[in-house]
Amino acid sequence: MAMEVELEPMAASIGVTVPVLRFLLCFAATIPLSFLWRIVPGRLPKHLYSAGVGVSLSYISFGLSSNMHFSVLIMIGYSSMLLFRPRCGILTFFLGFGYLIGCHVYYMSGDVWKDGGIDDTGALMVLTLKIISCLFNYNDGLLKEEEGLREAQRKYRLTKLPSLVEYIGYCLCCGSHFAGPVFEMKDYLDWTEGKGIWSKEAKGPSPSPYGATIRALIQAGFCMALYLYLVPYFPLSRFTEPIYQEWGFWKKFGYQYMSGFTARWKYYFIWSVSEASIIISGLGFSGWVNSSPPKPRWDRAKNVDILGVEFAKSSVMIPTVWNIQVSTWLRHYVYERLVQSGKKPRFFQLLATQTISAIWHGVYPGYIIFFVQSALMIAGSRAIYRWQQVTAPSMANAFVFLNFAYTLVVINYSSVGFLVLNLHETLAVFGSVYYIGTILPILMILLGNVIKPRRPGRSKAQKEQ
């Protein structure tokens, strides 16, 4: 209670609630605490430090209930590895998502977030993905190389059961469960034990994280400053005000674009801070660039490519530049595992993956609508790309611009559902611009099936090869 009173003036000065300020302070603390991990001696102390910091920050941010929720998920996962290894991955997938959905329904966190509050469901979301990936990889450890393993399965599979301390350290590592990024147990163990790219025998000297950390922090400061500047001009509440209904089509559409654009900078800020935390710990290191002299890469820490999002040439690129590590998780543990061996992925796999992503975010209609829309958006973009591949070089740039404009229109239209969440409000806003962002993808998909691009013919020499 004393802490609440002390934080009230600071919270009021920056326009947030005390719970949000408490979370932000703990979130910022992950950076120096992750740095201190580097000087902790020995493997076991490092695992204990990772777990202890995660538990402490969770308690300060969200209270005792958060660690109780985390403990349930953590023990579901570890018990499954101990007792049901041949099916532990799929078992924990359903149990973990079931528990997460129950928490989503109980807390209805979307309403809390819209009202300026915060709870532990965001951290629970990240933790769910980390646990499921660990168990699938332990499950894959039973498979043999000749059984047609995908590249990710070969790279991350676990042949040995992690100890409970290693497992908890991985789950709560220095507060990385607050906002990600999601990373693999194999990488966490190699990092802690000084193996793989973190070994002394690996190529190049030990990389310095400080330049990359400073860059991420500067990026975070810019993102937050821009968000705080824009948000008073483009509040979500405007969608339900009478003045919005008085506007013409283009002004409504422009406001939808600016609302989505504004909201994205908040996520850019959060992911930039988490990136700085993972980089300074050393875990974000992902190898060396082949240059002279060699430069370190920090891709493991990266969750967003801001310019890649804002200037995406096609909708297919969005999952590779937005919430990158979660998109990678969805590809490895949902999309690829739904594709039968020897067969090509279809729209079903894409739709199922986007539906899982929607459920992971919460049970609000707006999430479901957004991710179903995104599946349609990607499918429509693929149709445009197929036409681009077979068109004359003089027309190729026109299709590139068409795909860019299509992506810009549909992603900002669709993001309204993600932001307002309510079914009636989402449909009302969509209807105010005549459902243009829903009609366009469907139209592209239908045209793609009717006007099928002819594959370029092969030369006689190619046929004879």
Side-chain angles (χ1 to χ4, degrees):
M1 183 62 70
M3 180 184 289
E4 299 280 327
V5 174
E6 291 174 3
L7 291 178
E8 281 180 0
M10 187 187 299
S13 67
I14 61 174
V16 299
T17 61
V18 171
V20 170
L21 176 60
R22 195 166 56 237
F23 165 77
L24 289 174
L25 291 173
C26 288
F27 188 46
T30 62
I31 297 173
L33 290 171
S34 294
F35 170 75
L36 291 175
W37 180 95
R38 301 171 69 94
I39 62 176
V40 175
R43 297 177 186 176
L44 180 59
K46 285 182 183 294
H47 292 306
L48 292 172
Y49 179 82
S50 295
V53 168
V55 168
S56 302
L57 291 177
S58 297
Y59 175 75
I60 296 171
S61 296
F62 310 118
L64 181 62
S65 63
S66 65
N67 284 322
M68 293 175 65
H69 284 306
F70 299 158
S71 297
V72 171
L73 266 182
I74 287 170
M75 295 318 298
I76 286 175
Y78 204 73
S79 299
S80 297
M81 287 195 291
L82 285 173
L83 303 174
F84 308 105
R85 183 176 185 181
R87 295 287 181 270
C88 64
I90 192 66
L91 178 64
T92 305
F93 184 95
F94 286 105
L95 291 177
F97 264 92
Y99 190 79
L100 177 62
I101 291 168
C103 290
H104 275 315
V105 172
Y106 180 79
Y107 287 108
M108 297 304 288
S109 53
D111 291 329
V112 175
W113 298 341
K114 284 176 66 178
D115 293 337
I118 197 165
D119 59 32
D120 58 10
T121 51
L124 203 63
M125 289 162 61
V126 176
L127 185 61
T128 299
L129 300 191
K130 292 176 74 173
I131 290 172
I132 290 172
S133 67
C134 176
L135 270 77
F136 267 121
N137 291 322
Y138 185 57
N139 197 161
D140 291 343
L142 293 173
L143 304 177
K144 298 178 180 179
E145 288 283 349
E146 60 269 18
E147 293 186 45
L149 297 180
R150 293 180 295 276
E151 181 182 355
Q153 288 179 295
R154 288 194 299 270
K155 185 177 180 180
Y156 298 121
R157 66 193 189 122
L158 302 169
T159 56
K160 177 184 174 184
L161 176 70
S163 71
L164 184 59
V165 174
E166 291 172 336
Y167 174 69
I168 297 175
Y170 158 75
C171 289
L172 304 178
C173 178
C174 299
S176 61
H177 61 298
F178 276 179
V182 176
F183 50 85
E184 302 288 353
M185 170 64 93
K186 182 70 164 55
D187 289 334
Y188 170 79
L189 292 175
D190 285 351
W191 168 60
T192 305
E193 297 170 8
K195 296 180 179 179
I197 61 173
W198 293 277
S199 67
K200 293 180 180 179
E201 295 76 23
K203 176 185 175 183
S206 179
S208 170
Y210 305 117
T213 301
I214 291 171
R215 179 198 57 77
L217 289 175
I218 292 173
Q219 178 176 287
F222 174 80
C223 294
M224 178 49 69
L226 187 57
Y227 172 73
L228 292 175
Y229 173 77
L230 290 173
V231 74
Y233 296 101
F234 303 101
L236 296 177
S237 58
R238 187 68 45 81
F239 288 123
T240 57
E241 294 174 1
I243 189 173
Y244 177 80
Q245 302 304 323
E246 296 172 4
W247 292 344
F249 170 84
W250 290 110
K251 191 167 184 179
K252 288 177 180 176
F253 182 76
Y255 193 85
Q256 288 184 19
Y257 168 79
M258 286 306 301
S259 294
F261 177 78
T262 300
R264 285 196 292 275
W265 292 96
K266 175 176 64 176
Y267 293 99
Y268 296 156
F269 162 74
I270 292 290
W271 287 330
S272 297
V273 174
S274 65
E275 182 178 342
S277 175
I278 296 297
I279 287 173
I280 203 167
S281 71
L283 176 58
F285 178 60
S286 54
W288 297 90
V289 177
N290 288 325
S291 60
S292 183
K295 296 179 180 179
R297 290 188 294 112
W298 303 96
D299 297 344
R300 202 184 321 281
K302 194 168 187 176
N303 233 347
V304 69
D305 176 352
I306 297 175
L307 294 179
V309 174
E310 299 302 330
F311 298 100
K313 291 182 179 179
S314 78
S315 304
V316 178
M317 294 176 61
I318 295 296
T320 67
V321 292
W322 171 268
N323 209 353
I324 295 170
Q325 305 305 331
V326 170
S327 296
T328 301
W329 186 96
L330 287 166
R331 184 174 75 249
H332 289 166
Y333 300 104
V334 181
Y335 186 79
E336 290 179 351
R337 291 173 188 261
L338 287 175
V339 179
Q340 295 181 4
S341 180
K343 294 189 177 181
K344 292 183 178 181
R346 302 291 182 185
F347 181 70
F348 165 75
Q349 283 80 16
L350 174 60
L351 182 60
T353 302
Q354 296 302 91
T355 303
I356 292 296
S357 183
I359 294 171
W360 177 70
H361 280 85
V363 291
Y364 288 88
Y367 288 140
I368 303 295
I369 291 171
F370 172 79
F371 285 102
V372 170
Q373 275 272 145
S374 65
L376 295 172
M377 176 183 71
I378 291 171
S381 186
R382 285 174 175 167
I384 298 173
Y385 181 73
R386 286 194 293 269
W387 297 330
Q388 176 190 330
Q389 291 296 97
V390 299
T391 194
S394 59
M395 289 293 294
N397 287 335
F399 279 99
V400 170
F401 178 77
L402 174 63
N403 216 339
F404 166 75
Y406 163 88
T407 300
L408 195 70
V409 168
V410 180
I411 190 65
N412 288 288
Y413 163 93
S414 303
S415 65
V416 172
F418 190 93
L419 298 173
V420 304
L421 302 179
N422 178 274
L423 176 62
H424 174 74
E425 192 175 341
T426 299
L427 294 180
V429 176
F430 283 2
S432 71
V433 291
Y434 309 108
Y435 299 98
I436 184 173
T438 302
I439 293 171
L440 271 178
I442 294 174
L443 182 62
M444 292 299 105
I445 294 169
L446 293 176
L447 287 175
N449 285 319
V450 173
I451 310 174
K452 294 186 177 181
R454 184 178 299 173
R455 295 182 181 226
R458 294 186 299 168
S459 67
K460 183 178 180 181
Q462 287 175 317
K463 291 179 181 178
E464 291 174 353
Q465 288 180 353

